Amino acid sequence: MDGRLFSFIAASISAVVWSSLPALAILPIILTLAILLWCLTTRNSTLATIKSFVFCFLLGIFWMASVGHWQQTWQLQENDFKQGIWVTGKVKSLIDDKNSTRFNLIISRVDDRELTKDKLIRVSWARPKWPVKQGQVVQLWVKLKPPHGLANQGGFHYQQWLFSQAIMATGYVKAHENNALLVSHVTVRQRLLDSLIELELTTTPWIAALALGHRGLLSPDDWSLVQRTGIAHLIAISGLHLALVASLCYLFIASALLFCYRVLTKTQNANFYFISVLITLVATLGYAYLAGLGLPALRAWLMLALTACLLLSRIHWRFKRILLISVGAFIVLFPLSLFGQSFWLSFGAVLIIGFVFWRWPVKHQGFSIKGWFAGMCRLQLALSLLMLPLVAWQFSFISVAAPVINLLAVPIVTLVIVPLCLLAVVMMLLSLPYWPQLMMLIDWGLQFLLEKLNIMGAWPEAAYSIQSIPAFVWLCFSIATLAVLLPRGLVSRGWPVVFCLPLLTYALTPNPRDWQINVLDVGQGLSVVLIKNNQALVYDVGAAYPSGFNMADTVLVPFLRGKGLGQVEVLFISHFDNDHSGSLPMLREKIAIKHVYTTNDVCRQGQQLSWQGLTILALWPDEPQLYNDNNGSCVLKITDGSYSVLLPGDIDATIEAKLVSRYASALQSNVLIAPHHGSNTSSSLAFIQKVMPQQVIFSQGFMNRWGFPKEAVVERYQQVSPKMYRTSDHGQVQITIDSGLVDVRTFRQDIYPYWYANQTID
């Protein structure tokens, strides 16, 4: 049974590395082969085992491919994305006053069309007509786009996250007099959150995360502290918290029933053990509801329910079978969760805990503080060490202080703060007095804990950002770590060294590339990063928005740190429009910038710089004060003598004519960043014919309101037949020039070419 389960799970997990879905016509063939294998009889035990393994493997392929095609079939119609539409649905997100403009909506109706299956969309509302709350039924006029996200190395894969959450579209609510609140009822979770917010406690964001699983109130500084100290698992309601709730609930129910038996009734007419376990399951499910029935909480509850069934039926399964059945069941019930990070982090942690208890089993010699503390230390150190490759691969970040911090924080949070939070929530639900006073006590305790965490997190060596390293390298390191921790004699001591070699060679091998041009996907804006000799030159930094969302935090800093770059040596700002310079203040806060050049100083016509052996020529402006921001853009040509890139900012055709008149054929460049994102006011034919680019890159937003690049612009470029790329379609465009050889790669097609993360579903 275990082998068949493993075969099904392995086949399902393989969907994570598919570059495309199997064709729909292939699915009946796969299913037919599986049925034929099932019907095939053989007396040879080896062949029978192979047959069952292949059968389960084919089922896994069929299941995940079917899920992928179902997701495509259930999408909104193409016309729904071309214009504003009316939607009717129920607010799913738990919403606070601070972040009430973005929420998930389960829609059942689009215009006059009743949907056969409810769909989940994610929308923002700049100025809502009423306080939007979880549970309300609303009718809204919205403008939607298919699921899409920025696509860059080191960055968060938003489109993949949308897919894993089954979100079919994103967009915004448009102002309209007929936007209406149809049903004003709000959920219990929402009422609890509103009551908590009204107290205006200092640590309200943390209490909301611990008690209700709502982390939307946490600030960027809070998340930075979580990352540096490695306490993310403490503020995510999952296995640790559910196990605590289950233990407390079982202890309370069993004690109450025992009291009734010994003091009140003196007779036992029911199975107290069965009742205690059943009530515990119901209580933990209620707790999972308070956490929003998130996937981590559901995973933990399913494993708890399976364990309870085994205990009640007195069936003994080994840990391996429990884990395999849990993973297999979760893949069947929630297949899209495979494409989210939490699936791997949760089951990775469970697997490590199982390994620790197998490697260092608990000896039943009575409870002792010393033994408990030693077990906690061993478990925490093993978790920190064995989770390191997974966390480093996913986040390019390592917290050195996490093991020590968690030894202190885990007992305080799980044994003191979380039980008090639960007690306060129960008192709120039952409208009992003094719950505000209890919340104030929790607030005081959290303030004390956070003060200590901030001191430890402020230690410069507490955490490190590391460069992006391939998954295969981290897998080898994980195997090496496991080999070291295994009992002596099971594996040769030489194997850990062998499996560490990929990491060592990856870190020590010098980068032979001459230089690299990276046009980042920053939506409707521009940011270009040149890398040579492990140094970075940046041209423009993308936009920042009133909501706080900005391209420095989202794209630039993760990209630079993922490349192992701790500073920007040279930064050029072409002009001061938001889409080119808006993220500069945020970038200055997060990473060191050695030199910043603008049209106010170095970037003037005729200036020339040398950087890492490359020549930087400033072609424009002559007198920036004579032009508007766009036409006063800093125009640069960067060349190694044989290969060059032209960065023209947002100049229009009048400035292009001046450049053609002044430089003529000297404008010729291999790579051209299309002026003004592909606006029809730029990219004149005369300019294109002088530049004669081999690659043209349009940096523009997905389904942007201006329709960039304009069709007329594309047709003009087609007359000189360059290869054209759009960051909205291709994501980051990376051009590597190595000893005269040019390699062009795009994020969506070459670097991260997975079907669930990139393809726009029609």
Side-chain angles (χ1 to χ4, degrees):
M1 180 178 180
D2 293 348
R4 293 191 290 271
L5 281 170
F6 181 82
S7 183
F8 173 79
I9 292 168
S12 300
I13 289 176
S14 72
V16 175
V17 296
W18 295 350
S19 59
S20 62
L21 279 174
L24 191 60
I26 296 178
L27 296 191
I29 299 175
I30 295 175
L31 183 60
T32 301
L33 287 174
I35 295 173
L36 290 175
L37 275 173
W38 178 259
C39 296
L40 181 66
T41 57
T42 177
R43 296 181 179 179
N44 187 301
S45 59
T46 303
L47 289 177
T49 301
I50 294 173
K51 181 199 78 169
S52 63
F53 284 2
V54 174
F55 168 76
C56 292
F57 190 87
L58 290 175
L59 277 186
I61 297 291
F62 177 80
W63 173 242
M64 293 308 300
S66 299
V67 167
H69 285 291
W70 290 339
Q71 283 300 112
Q72 289 186 340
T73 303
W74 292 335
Q75 294 298 308
L76 292 169
Q77 297 177 6
E78 188 175 354
N79 288 336
D80 295 334
F81 300 118
K82 293 182 178 180
Q83 57 191 357
I85 57 173
W86 284 103
V87 297
T88 302
K90 187 174 184 179
V91 178
K92 182 182 180 183
S93 300
L94 188 63
I95 298 174
D96 54 75
D97 294 335
K98 182 179 178 182
N99 300 300
S100 61
T101 59
R102 184 177 291 269
F103 53 93
N104 293 349
L105 191 66
I106 304 173
I107 59 173
S108 57
R109 190 179 186 85
V110 174
D111 290 331
D112 296 326
R113 187 174 80 248
E114 198 76 28
L115 300 179
T116 55
K117 180 183 182 300
D118 291 350
K119 303 184 189 302
L120 184 63
I121 64 173
R122 186 168 177 82
V123 294
S124 60
W125 196 354
R127 288 177 293 276
K129 291 174 62 176
W130 63 85
V132 180
K133 301 292 182 182
Q134 185 184 58
Q136 293 175 344
V137 178
V138 296
Q139 175 184 277
L140 300 172
W141 176 246
V142 299
K143 180 69 172 69
L144 299 179
K145 294 181 180 180
H148 191 85
L150 303 178
N152 301 282
Q153 288 175 291
F156 177 62
H157 302 310
Y158 183 57
Q159 187 169 339
Q160 178 178 337
W161 179 83
L162 291 172
F163 182 81
S164 70
Q165 301 297 311
I167 294 174
M168 304 292 188
T170 62
Y172 61 93
V173 180
K174 304 177 71 173
H176 198 285
E177 61 181 8
N178 290 334
N179 286 334
L181 174 61
L182 303 180
V183 178
S184 60
H185 173 77
V186 299
T187 63
V188 173
R189 288 187 75 219
Q190 185 69 64
R191 292 199 296 270
L192 291 172
L193 179 63
D194 292 343
S195 298
L196 176 60
I197 291 174
E198 286 177 3
L199 293 178
E200 297 183 349
L201 302 175
T202 304
T203 60
T204 293
W206 299 89
I207 297 175
L210 291 169
L212 301 174
H214 177 65
R215 295 179 286 177
L217 285 168
L218 294 172
S219 68
D221 289 340
D222 293 332
W223 282 113
S224 178
L225 176 65
V226 167
Q227 191 177 44
R228 289 186 64 81
T229 55
I231 60 168
H233 60 289
L234 293 180
I235 61 169
I237 296 180
S238 55
L240 184 65
H241 298 82
L242 245 71
L244 174 65
V245 172
S247 301
L248 293 175
C249 184
Y250 181 82
L251 182 63
F252 175 77
I253 298 299
S255 300
L257 291 175
L258 187 61
F259 174 80
C260 293
Y261 168 68
R262 290 183 174 178
V263 178
L264 301 178
T265 65
K266 299 291 186 178
T267 59
Q268 182 175 346
N269 298 319
N271 187 328
F272 289 173
Y273 179 62
F274 178 84
I275 293 173
S276 300
V277 171
L278 186 62
I279 294 176
T280 297
L281 282 178
V282 174
T284 50
L285 183 60
Y287 182 59
Y289 166 77
L290 288 179
L293 293 177
L295 292 180
L298 282 176
R299 275 193 292 269
W301 189 83
L302 284 174
M303 292 193 72
L304 187 66
L306 176 60
T307 304
C309 291
L310 292 175
L311 289 173
L312 293 175
S313 60
R314 297 183 180 181
I315 296 175
H316 174 71
W317 282 352
R318 297 174 63 184
F319 171 79
K320 177 177 68 173
R321 176 165 295 182
I322 294 175
L323 180 63
L324 288 173
I325 288 179
S326 300
V327 174
F330 212 78
I331 288 174
V332 172
L333 295 174
F334 308 102
L336 297 183
S337 67
L338 267 177
F339 307 103
Q341 294 174 342
S342 67
F343 176 90
W344 301 95
L345 294 173
S346 296
F347 281 115
V350 171
L351 186 61
I352 291 168
I353 292 171
F355 172 79
V356 170
F357 282 107
W358 169 80
R359 178 63 181 85
W360 296 281
V362 177
K363 298 178 180 178
H364 299 283
Q365 297 178 348
F367 177 80
S368 70
I369 297 295
K370 180 180 177 181
W372 175 82
F373 183 74
M376 283 287 295
C377 290
R378 188 163 50 237
L379 179 60
Q380 188 56 53
L381 289 172
L383 274 170
S384 299
L385 182 62
L386 293 174
M387 287 293 287
L388 183 149
L390 184 56
V391 173
W393 171 50
Q394 291 281 351
F395 304 108
S396 297
F397 193 88
I398 294 176
S399 176
V400 178
V404 176
I405 290 173
N406 276 282
L407 282 176
L408 302 174
V410 168
I412 295 173
V413 172
T414 57
L415 300 180
V416 179
I417 294 177
V418 170
L420 289 177
C421 285
L422 291 175
L423 178 59
V425 168
V426 171
M427 293 173 68
M428 292 169 68
L429 287 171
L430 300 177
S431 300
L432 298 178
Y434 304 116
W435 71 263
Q437 288 76 9
L438 181 55
M439 282 294 186
M440 291 177 187
L441 177 63
I442 297 168
D443 178 60
W444 178 84
L446 276 174
Q447 286 185 58
F448 176 80
L449 178 61
L450 290 172
E451 180 183 342
K452 303 307 177 187
L453 288 177
N454 274 300
I455 293 173
M456 290 184 280
W459 177 44
E461 310 301 322
Y464 295 94
S465 294
I466 61 173
Q467 69 182 102
S468 297
I469 297 176
F472 173 76
V473 176
W474 285 122
L475 178 62
C476 290
F477 180 77
S478 299
I479 295 172
T481 307
L482 283 172
V484 169
L485 295 176
L486 286 172
R488 289 181 177 274
L490 284 184
V491 295
S492 169
R493 289 304 177 188
W495 283 112
V497 177
V498 172
F499 281 103
C500 278
L501 287 177
L503 182 61
L504 294 174
T505 55
Y506 190 89
L508 297 177
T509 301
N511 193 336
R513 299 167 179 166
D514 281 352
W515 60 299
Q516 190 179 85
I517 304 165
N518 294 277
V519 182
L520 302 182
D521 179 10
V522 292
Q524 189 61 34
L526 179 65
S527 185
V528 182
V529 180
L530 273 64
I531 300 174
K532 188 174 183 186
N533 298 328
N534 291 321
Q535 299 291 334
L537 179 151
V538 177
Y539 180 88
D540 285 345
V541 294
Y545 301 95
S547 64
F549 182 79
N550 65 87
M551 294 304 159
D553 293 333
T554 308
V555 177
L556 261 171
V557 172
F559 173 80
L560 292 169
R561 288 178 175 170
K563 290 288 187 179
L565 301 170
Q567 72 168 13
V568 174
E569 189 172 1
V570 179
L571 170 63
F572 286 94
I573 297 296
S574 67
H575 60 297
F576 294 99
D577 281 357
N578 179 58
D579 59 334
H580 291 255
S581 64
S583 291
L584 181 57
M586 298 78 176
L587 185 63
R588 287 182 184 273
E589 290 179 5
K590 296 295 175 64
I591 202 164
I593 305 174
K594 197 170 181 181
H595 302 290
V596 178
Y597 298 138
T598 70
T599 54
N600 295 330
D601 40 61
V602 172
C603 200
R604 295 289 188 90
Q605 188 178 70
Q607 292 287 338
Q608 180 172 318
L609 296 175
S610 179
W611 177 78
Q612 303 297 325
L614 300 176
T615 301
I616 304 171
L617 303 171
L619 308 183
W620 189 261
D622 50 6
E623 295 293 339
Q625 65 273 15
L626 300 178
Y627 309 96
N628 61 32
D629 278 347
N630 285 350
N631 282 338
S633 294
C634 172
V635 179
L636 297 180
K637 180 177 179 179
I638 303 176
T639 178
D640 62 2
S642 59
Y643 198 88
S644 58
V645 55
L646 186 63
L647 305 165
D650 279 353
I651 61 172
D652 66 16
T654 61
I655 305 303
E656 292 174 355
K658 291 178 181 291
L659 293 175
V660 169
S661 175
R662 180 178 179 88
Y663 297 103
S665 59
L667 287 175
Q668 195 282 320
S669 300
N670 303 89
V671 179
L672 172 64
I673 309 303
H676 203 184
H677 319 287
S679 167
N680 199 32
T681 59
S682 305
S683 298
S684 61
L685 184 59
F687 178 74
I688 294 171
Q689 289 174 338
K690 289 300 180 184
V691 178
M692 288 298 292
Q694 296 167 359
Q695 289 93 25
V696 175
I697 303 170
F698 298 97
S699 181
Q700 32 69 248
F702 177 68
M703 293 181 68
N704 63 86
R705 69 182 70 177
W706 301 277
F708 295 160
K710 292 293 187 179
E711 189 61 35
V713 172
V714 173
E715 290 174 358
R716 289 199 290 269
Y717 279 109
Q718 287 174 338
Q719 294 185 42
V720 297
S721 300
K723 180 68 175 177
M724 286 181 276
Y725 301 90
R726 306 183 189 193
T727 56
S728 61
D729 294 338
H730 298 91
Q732 168 195 343
V733 181
Q734 181 184 89
I735 303 174
T736 304
I737 304 95
D738 186 3
S739 303
L741 300 176
V742 179
D743 178 37
V744 182
R745 306 179 73 207
T746 67
F747 186 86
R748 294 186 183 275
Q749 293 180 348
D750 306 299
I751 299 173
Y752 202 77
Y754 306 120
W755 64 277
Y756 50 86
N758 297 314
Q759 295 181 0
T760 299
I761 301 173
D762 296 327

